Amino acid sequence: MSKGTKVAEQPSRARKPRIRKTAPTVRERAAAAQEKAQKEKPKRLKKVFVKVPVPKVKRPHLPQNQFFNTLRKIFQPIGRVLSKLAPRYFANAWRELRQVTWPNRGETWRLTLAVFVFSVVFGALVAGVDKGLDEIFKHVVLK
């Protein structure tokens, strides 16, 4: 018999003893989840952007300006980095949004009411402290 099983004591009968399995512990559940995660392949995002070859177009020759050339040299590496990071950022943001469990209408009203009640109670508390400090200031300092 395995570690997590118990045999129930029964009077002498011709039947087989009944085997009861105990509930798995937290550690056993975590180990099982880890094994399952190792077996599954990580999900990959579908490619959103398709690279389409664009023919090079000859631009008319523009007069060279040192100021714009300097700006181009400064911002070109920044543009390259942003072009690599921006699609990854949006893909990760979309993945996170799909994991959100949004509240239903009842939960939304209940949470809205809780925020409203908290705001009123907190406002009353601040107003009471302000009134008390005002009275103390009038009697002690201005007297």
Side-chain angles (χ1 to χ4, degrees):
M1 280 188 232
S2 66
K3 178 182 172 185
T5 58
K6 294 182 182 178
V7 176
E9 296 289 327
Q10 292 185 359
S12 60
R13 292 185 187 171
R15 295 182 186 176
K16 291 182 180 180
R18 192 167 133 194
I19 299 174
R20 292 184 181 173
K21 293 184 179 180
T22 58
T25 62
V26 174
R27 185 173 288 165
E28 291 170 344
R29 283 185 289 183
Q34 189 176 14
E35 288 175 10
K36 183 180 176 183
Q38 287 176 352
K39 289 180 184 177
E40 291 180 357
K41 290 184 178 179
K43 293 182 180 178
R44 302 189 88 183
L45 289 175
K46 294 179 183 177
K47 287 189 177 181
V48 178
F49 302 103
V50 179
K51 291 186 178 180
V52 179
V54 178
K56 293 267 183 172
V57 177
K58 287 189 175 182
R59 296 182 186 168
H61 182 69
L62 299 174
Q64 295 293 326
N65 188 339
Q66 188 65 29
F67 175 73
F68 289 115
N69 285 340
T70 307
L71 281 180
R72 188 179 304 121
K73 287 179 183 177
I74 291 172
F75 288 110
Q76 200 169 25
I78 295 171
R80 282 192 203 125
V81 170
L82 287 178
S83 69
K84 298 290 183 191
L85 292 179
R88 187 179 308 155
Y89 169 78
F90 288 116
N92 290 337
W94 183 252
R95 184 184 310 138
E96 288 293 325
L97 275 176
R98 287 192 325 207
Q99 294 176 357
V100 171
T101 54
W102 299 100
N104 58 21
R105 182 179 287 267
E107 287 175 322
T108 303
W109 278 107
R110 187 171 44 95
L111 292 172
T112 302
L113 181 64
V115 169
F116 182 73
V117 168
F118 177 79
S119 300
V120 169
V121 169
F122 191 73
L125 181 69
V126 168
V129 170
D130 183 48
K131 180 70 172 171
L133 290 175
D134 184 45
E135 292 296 324
I136 290 171
F137 184 76
K138 284 180 182 177
H139 289 345
V140 174
V141 177
L142 296 178
K143 193 171 188 182

